[in-house]
Amino acid sequence: MKLYFKYAGMLLKSQMQYKASFIMTTVGQFLVSFTAFLGIYFMFTRFHSVNGFTFSEILLCFSIVLMAFSITECLVRGFDVFPQLIQSGKLDRILVRPRNEIFQVLTSNMEFSRVGRLLQSILMLAYAIPKSGILWTADKVATLVFMVIGGIAVFSSLFVLYAGISF
């Protein structure tokens, strides 16, 4: 785990070398997911409920899925670009190194600029929780946390499956 954080720190430092680019990419990621939010918002201004679900309930679900996807895309991006590793020949270099191949692919590409999406999902979640009318108890908070963790596991599995298909 210590090595993972060391790799993450090195990648963060390298991405922060161009701070303006990093900030603009982060803002761009925020705005891309904001357009999806606007689609949901405009749909609910026209139709006040969809199949019995209110805007705040849909926003709660959307923010959880967006949070899980943005964390996964930030941390497991190496498997998403796996076909490029094969095509460029970088996978051969990974295979001869003494570290675990999965670990090396996992840490080969971390996109910290995806924090823009994560920030938006946190803001939407902060808005949706009080508006949803749900009485938040410890088991519901635990369910919310497990939903995010489960979403990360599902999206990570999809990235790994996509990497496996590239062979």
Side-chain angles (χ1 to χ4, degrees), residues 81-95:
V81 295
F82 194 75
Q84 288 84 8
L85 288 175
I86 294 173
Q87 188 177 28
S88 67
K90 291 180 182 177
L91 183 64
D92 296 336
R93 205 172 48 187
I94 288 173
L95 291 172

Side-chain angles (χ1 to χ4, degrees), residues 40-58:
I40 293 171
Y41 175 75
F42 290 134
M43 182 178 67
F44 275 94
T45 56
R46 175 86 168 107
F47 309 105
H48 298 290
S49 68
V50 175
N51 203 14
F53 292 103
T54 64
F55 175 67
S56 60
E57 293 168 341
I58 295 295

Side-chain angles (χ1 to χ4, degrees), residues 149-165:
I149 292 170
I152 292 169
V154 167
F155 286 124
S156 298
S157 301
L158 290 174
F159 283 160
V160 171
L161 183 64
Y162 174 68
I165 290 172

Side-chain angles (χ1 to χ4, degrees), residues 5-166:
F5 288 122
K6 188 172 185 174
Y7 270 53
M10 290 182 344
L11 286 170
L12 181 62
K13 284 180 185 177
S14 69
Q15 290 177 17
M16 292 301 290
Q17 288 297 313
Y18 301 100
K19 290 176 180 53
S21 174
F22 180 81
I23 290 169
M24 286 188 287
T25 306
T26 302
V27 169
Q29 290 296 319
F30 183 89
L31 292 175
V32 165
S33 58
F34 188 68
T35 58
F37 165 73
L38 286 178
I40 293 171
Y41 175 75
F42 290 134
M43 182 178 67
F44 275 94
T45 56
R46 175 86 168 107
F47 309 105
H48 298 290
S49 68
V50 175
N51 203 14
F53 292 103
T54 64
F55 175 67
S56 60
E57 293 168 341
I58 295 295
L59 195 60
L60 185 68
C61 293
F62 179 70
S63 64
I64 291 169
V65 170
L66 184 63
M67 184 180 297
F69 182 70
S70 61
I71 291 171
T72 303
E73 197 174 29
C74 180
L75 300 178
V76 191
R77 185 80 174 161
F79 285 105
D80 192 31
V81 295
F82 194 75
Q84 288 84 8
L85 288 175
I86 294 173
Q87 188 177 28
S88 67
K90 291 180 182 177
L91 183 64
D92 296 336
R93 205 172 48 187
I94 288 173
L95 291 172
V96 297
R97 290 182 182 160
R99 293 284 176 206
N100 186 346
E101 293 83 11
I102 294 173
F103 174 75
Q104 291 182 63
V105 171
L106 184 67
T107 58
S108 67
N109 190 8
M110 292 182 184
E111 294 287 335
F112 292 107
S113 62
R114 302 303 195 243
V115 171
R117 286 185 187 176
L118 181 62
L119 177 65
Q120 175 155 8
S121 66
I122 290 170
L123 291 174
M124 286 189 297
L125 189 64
Y127 174 79
I129 284 177
K131 296 284 185 180
S132 65
I134 298 171
L135 179 63
W136 289 96
T137 58
D139 61 337
K140 291 181 183 174
V141 171
T143 301
L144 181 74
V145 170
F146 287 131
M147 285 172 65
V148 172
I149 292 170
I152 292 169
V154 167
F155 286 124
S156 298
S157 301
L158 290 174
F159 283 160
V160 171
L161 183 64
Y162 174 68
I165 290 172
S166 66

